[in-house]
Amino acid sequence: MTSSEEKAKSVQVFYASQTGNAESIARNIHKEAVKKGFDSQVYVLNDHEKVGFENVRVGVFVVSTTGDGDPPDNATKFWRVLRRKTRGLKNSKDGANGSSSASLYPNLKYAILGLGDTNYSNFCNTAKVLDSQLKKTGAKEFYPKGLADDGTGLEETVDPWIEKLWDALGKVVELKSESKSDDGGLHKAVSRLKLRDEDSASELSQSVHSEHLPNPQPFFVDYSGMKDIKALTGTPKLPTQSCNMVDAPLSGSELQRNSSSNSASSIDLLAFARDKVVSEYPEFIIPKKGNGTAGDVVESFVPRTGSTPTFLATITSAESLTTELKKDVKRTLLLELDLGETGRKLVNGKWRAGDSFGIWAPNDRLLVTAILDKLGVEVSDMEKPIRLSPIGSDGKNVEHEGSKLPSHLSLFEHTTTTLFELYQWAVDLTSGTGLMKKQLIRYLASACTQVDDRDRLLYLCSRQGLKEWSKFRDQAPRLLDILQAFPSCHPDPVFLIELLPPLVPRAYSIASTPQTTSSSRNGSWKFAFNIVKYQTQVVDPSTNKMIAVSREGLCTPWLDHITGNIAPKTKLSNLKIQIPVFLRARQNDFFLPSPAESGDESPSRPIIMIGPGTGIAAFIGFLEQATNERLCENTDSPPKEPEMILFYGCRYWDHDFLFQSKLEEFKSKGPLSDLYISLSRDEVKSHTFKSLTGSFKSKYVQHEMARPEVAKNLCKLIVDKDALIYVCGDAQGMGKDVNNALADIIFEYLLENPKKANELLSDIHDPGNGMGKDLARQDAEQNVTKIQILQLLMKWIQTKKYRRDLWA
Ligand code: NAP
């Protein structure tokens, strides 16, 4: 900064967060900035308009990446606006002013902290794209970007990045006030902590067992390394609390709700929790302001991220699609939702086959009860009416001063709630430490009364305990498991809600289409999913014995439970079970182009669909849409039906082949021209469809695609007939492998077709090989490289020829 440039008066911290990590880091940066004397505000990126983004002088961005390199839901609006504004602008060199493109935000100075995971493709894509987009606007980076990898531990990058941020920030933002001391000396105490080196520290492992319901699950940590350590370093700062609870008087309707839901203050805990479960279809009480009829908008749950507010839809049927005859077959359910009148109005005209929706699922009541009990909350206090009250920088409660609460709690601001409700609906109690932050462990350490417990937790979140931290995270213990393992840990139940991972809605593809001949179907969504509930074996290192540990997801076991855990391969109809849902904002262009959108040509472009497992769900919608379009075809003019090809994979023909009869029908009656099946665990034998007979030898979809005769046909469609390629399913394994397989088969095809190679690769150069060479004048056969083909696939993603809906 030149001396003539004035420092900004304040800093704005922005976050784009899917699971709450980026938000929590952004809020901590904001809090620390305030403590250090900066004037700071913190905002979710989608609030850019409210903030007046064009006037922001210094911005710190903490952004995560989801799915296939997409921005989180709460940044999609900002993303669209930024892309629209920068479309056609060139990158200004180093963000310097001077070109016409550099006039959009010439006064903005920014720093970006990206969160991602190198196990998935497009690592930290949101941060990288944000950086290049901001550069295009003429904004200048004042502090180099940090890219944190959740695969190896976010804190490895996050902590040092934040530590050095303050110097850089001091050069561009002026201090408003004197810096305040950070955590009352506790942090120093940690770095000077002298660990005792006898018995407990040298003990090999710690296990947790309990006979009570729900069972705390064991996890193992090797603390033996502690005895050689003189002092711990790198432990996170003790977080500061942003709110506490105050008693709240009950309003009339709340009184009614409470009296119908809470019958007991004197009965024992398990009975208390069980009492809430109605035998046939267990009920749950949604914290909301509506009166509970289908289609009601659930005001307390309105997410800022959806394309509609949250509303109540009714599950009308449930079908189990898999057998239980094989141990390694996942249980898959297909549910149908009636959106109700309000839901229909909300989604009307806004969705199409390929879209997805979100479900808010509560934590299990028994688990909530067990945790609150462990936290020392009396049964009579679990459902006592309270309000959350934000704490100001002077440590006093601030009322009516706008939201100072983390966003997962702001849903409950200004309403009367209960601890039970907050634990059931605000935080994720099942996802385990996979989503937990070291800061939470740091806080839990400070809440221990026994030195043993405290030291072990501090070790876990220290630099010295890094290896054990990663093993601990891999075992994903839940809060209940941790509280059981550290019995002297008595954290404050309200502070804990701030630090736990927020409860986020779960997303599912809609396996149906709005375009249907029967108009009633316009108001229904179908969706299919696996029940995430399994047992893993962990080894107790002290005994070398294997111990079975149960793990389960949040939403899918709940859906299974409320639909009555139906028997395999059966269907229940006439159900009436309400759940809170919303239509998600569209993340990508995962839909079939309609003639109106892409000109008359596009419906005749072949469609290649690749979707193993529940990735098939979206394609069922596509195929229904194509079927409907066929029915609506004007018989006078010849139909322009696209060739549609599907690659589907499952484990066994007889046990988890989802939508088998539907696919059979699509294949025998159309619109499916070819159906390729791969079976990953079945023995090779002959199976018969009416329209498809054969022995299915490929293990995975990409192996089927690579079979010479299939690959040749595929390439002809892709290269010669300009087919559209759609891939849906798992981002981590399948998405990457299918991309590589596509690159391989196109590579082989182009080697044999140099003319086509010239055409397709004329503007794509391999920096390591063909860089700068004009392929038109070269012998293509020697110049086609794998890197070029991978770049070609990237180009096809940009031009929407190749569309992916990949989920982590
Ligand atoms: P899955 O576990 O991915 O298994 C389906 C088949 O794919 C199995 O035969 C499996 O074989 C095989 N497979 C495993 N690794 C593979 C790889 N690297 N390449 C190709 N095939 C591979 O199926 P799923 O459990 O149903 O999961 C599907 C994914 O789709 C999940 O990530 C889910 O989040 C996502 N998704 C779900 C929806 C929805 O609406 N429910 C929508 C879109 C996407 P083995 O297991 O025998 O190795």
Side-chain angles (χ1 to χ4, degrees), residues 476-534:
R478 303 160 303 168
L479 176 66
L480 180 67
D481 310 330
I482 298 173
L483 292 175
Q484 172 80 10
F486 301 95
S488 80
C489 182
H490 300 297
D492 175 74
V494 177
F495 196 3
L496 207 50
I497 303 172
E498 276 187 47
L499 299 173
L500 283 165
L503 185 96
V504 290
R506 301 323 201 225
Y508 302 91
S509 293
I510 305 173
S512 43
T513 174
Q515 295 152 358
T516 158
T517 42
S518 117
S519 59
S520 66
R521 293 275 303 284
N522 271 328
S524 89
W525 289 340
K526 284 188 177 180
F527 64 112
F529 55 90
N530 292 326
I531 312 297
V532 184
K533 206 169 190 178
Y534 55 96

Side-chain angles (χ1 to χ4, degrees), residues 461-488:
C461 61
S462 71
R463 193 158 291 138
Q464 289 74 14
L466 199 62
K467 241 165 103 186
E468 290 312 314
W469 167 254
S470 111
K471 287 189 209 153
F472 172 74
R473 265 188 20 144
D474 286 349
Q475 295 173 73
R478 303 160 303 168
L479 176 66
L480 180 67
D481 310 330
I482 298 173
L483 292 175
Q484 172 80 10
F486 301 95
S488 80

Side-chain angles (χ1 to χ4, degrees), residues 330 508-509 528-530 612-615 617 649-651 680-681 700-702 728-730 733-734 737 807-808:
K330 301 174 191 174
Y508 302 91
S509 293
F529 55 90
N530 292 326
T614 47
C650 60
R651 290 181 174 172
S680 59
R681 303 192 185 189
Y700 289 159
V701 281
Q702 63 271 25
C728 185
D730 165 43
M734 189 277 298
D737 294 347
W807 300 31

